[in-house]
Amino acid sequence: MEAVPSSISVVSDRQGERVVVWGPGSLSNLGPGFDALGLCIQGLGDRVEAWRTETPGVTLVEANGLPGSSIPCDSTTNTAAVAAAAVLRQVGARHGVALRLHKGLPSGSGLGSSAASAVAGAWAANLLLDEPLPREALVEAVLEGEAVASGSRHGDNVLPALFGGLVLVSASDPTCYRRIPLPGPLSIALILPRVEILTRTAREILPRQVTLQDAVHNASALAFLIDAFRAGDWETVGRWMMADRIVEPVRARLVPCYEPVRRAALSAGAFGCALTGSGPAMFALARDEMHARQVLSAMREACLQSGVDVEGYVTAVDFEGARQL
Ligand SMILES: Nc1ncnc2c1ncn2[C@@H]1O[C@H](COP(=O)(O)OP(=O)(O)OP(=O)(O)O)[C@@H](O)[C@H]1O
Ligand SMILES: N[C@@H](CCO)C(=O)O
């Protein structure tokens, strides 16, 4: 076969090419790791369908999946579209991308709903580039996507959703992060009480100042927590993820079933139980999948007895992050 002379530019015709991408949900804070720690989870997430267009920029064709939700279907305020646009801008793409977003995660849940969309949008736009970038190059884009929803550039949902697994991120500079290796699988019981808490509101009620004693306590709790995660010492993980003295005690007041659910999870033998993100979802760590089912049943029951309707899931760590389906 004859070689193409190098002076002739080959125009790749990928117009209309289509990809479907999964943006996973994530647990964040994990007790003392406010804005600093997040874990990607299996089975819950958003799906983005994307195709290349001739017109530059991002068009959000539709956002569906959660009837009655208030997710904006606008390219300037939907996190999937904002993150996708940031990727195109980053490489100076001359083409555009159209997106259809299928929401699987309700917003205001604590499960990183806006982050799942942002990551799926960015990954889809990336796959459609002539030369896709490595995951590490998408950090700015996903942070930009998340910021339009929450009003702050926090990375504890978007980075685990992008990379998978457990991620530690600087709360003051979220472009600074570290993936924390986990030595084995982890079974998780997760409940989503039917109470909507917007992250924005749950951030506004937090104290502007804290005592030195509490700050020091939380700093050491986070250090012990990370060390226990690395060691796969789930019992110690459970202990320290329940040790936050600054954020979770304040937010617990927004979740009417918080105390009964925590007690029920621990009575059922969970290693620990905490809010994820700004709540109201709560998670508990269990020995294995069967144990997680027992813990889940106890948590659900406690929630219902508090008069709050609830959905429940057994999940595990997703080590892969955003991916093409
Ligand atoms: N693609 C998106 N998915 C979800 N929410 C979005 C999206 N784009 C914009 N938003 C807006 O972001 C806000 C999301 O609310 P909020 O931050 O409380 O939930 P969240 O992102 O699911 O956070 P978490 O689950 O971590 O609590 C809502 O106002 C919603 O309209
Ligand atoms: N770290 C963020 C996550 C939002 O779900 C918070 O707790 O406000």
Side-chain angles (χ1 to χ4, degrees):
M1 197 164 79
E2 229 176 295
V4 179
S6 57
S7 57
I8 298 177
S9 63
V10 180
V11 179
S12 78
D13 185 13
R14 295 179 61 193
Q15 223 51 20
E17 187 173 327
R18 176 179 167 280
V19 291
V20 180
V21 164
W22 176 251
S26 49
L27 307 180
S28 57
N29 300 346
L30 310 179
F34 179 63
D35 282 358
L37 194 59
L39 183 70
C40 189
I41 55 169
Q42 292 180 9
L44 294 163
D46 291 351
R47 205 157 39 86
V48 159
E49 208 184 318
W51 57 97
R52 264 173 78 135
T53 59
E54 229 169 295
T55 328
V58 174
T59 314
L60 183 63
V61 176
E62 193 184 354
N64 65 35
L66 293 172
S69 81
S70 56
I71 308 293
C73 191
D74 175 325
S75 308
T76 61
T77 47
N78 190 292
T79 62
V82 172
V87 172
L88 297 184
R89 222 177 31 250
Q90 188 173 336
V91 300
R94 303 232 295 264
H95 66 272
V97 166
L99 303 177
R100 182 173 285 122
L101 170 64
H102 306 273
K103 289 295 300 177
L105 286 167
S107 61
S109 59
L111 298 172
S113 169
S114 50
S117 296
V119 165
W123 194 245
N126 185 47
L127 289 175
L128 293 171
L129 295 178
D130 290 331
E131 290 179 34
L133 303 166
R135 274 176 209 264
E136 293 71 22
L138 301 185
V139 167
E140 280 288 353
V142 297
L143 287 169
E144 197 177 313
E146 174 73 307
V148 286
S150 65
S152 70
R153 266 165 55 96
H154 61 92
D156 54 340
N157 286 116
V158 272
L159 298 190
L162 177 64
F163 293 112
L166 182 69
V167 180
L168 177 65
V169 51
S170 161
S172 45
D173 173 9
T175 58
C176 176
Y177 64 90
R178 186 167 282 254
R179 302 174 67 183
I180 308 292
L182 298 177
L186 184 54
S187 294
I188 302 163
L190 177 66
I191 60 156
L192 179 53
R194 284 262 166 81
V195 181
E196 188 177 5
I197 300 177
L198 284 182
T199 305
R200 225 176 258 270
T201 319
R203 293 177 85 84
E204 279 164 11
I205 63 166
L206 296 178
R208 297 297 117 192
Q209 294 189 324
V210 299
T211 64
L212 178 64
Q213 206 180 13
D214 284 349
V216 170
H217 165 86
N218 263 40
S220 60
L222 181 56
F224 277 112
L225 182 63
I226 299 290
D227 182 62
F229 264 121
R230 289 188 76 109
D233 176 355
W234 309 135
E235 207 167 321
T236 306
V237 166
R239 170 181 171 192
W240 290 106
M241 74 182 221
M242 295 190 18
D244 173 27
R245 285 192 191 159
I246 297 175
V247 174
E248 189 152 329
V250 178
R251 287 177 166 177
R253 291 180 217 135
L254 302 174
V255 185
C257 54
Y258 177 84
E259 272 307 334
V261 166
R262 225 155 91 124
R263 272 199 306 274
L266 297 178
S267 302
F271 295 127
C273 175
L275 281 180
T276 160
S278 50
M282 295 178 73
F283 71 101
L285 302 186
R287 288 191 301 275
D288 50 36
E289 193 183 326
M290 178 134 33
H291 183 218
R293 290 191 191 288
Q294 292 160 8
V295 172
L296 177 63
S297 158
M299 291 166 80
R300 278 175 59 101
E301 192 51 37
C303 196
L304 290 170
Q305 278 186 6
S306 313
V308 181
D309 204 3
V310 63
E311 282 172 54
Y313 313 87
V314 165
T315 181
V317 180
D318 176 339
F319 289 97
E320 217 182 318
R323 57 186 166 274
Q324 187 167 7
L325 293 174

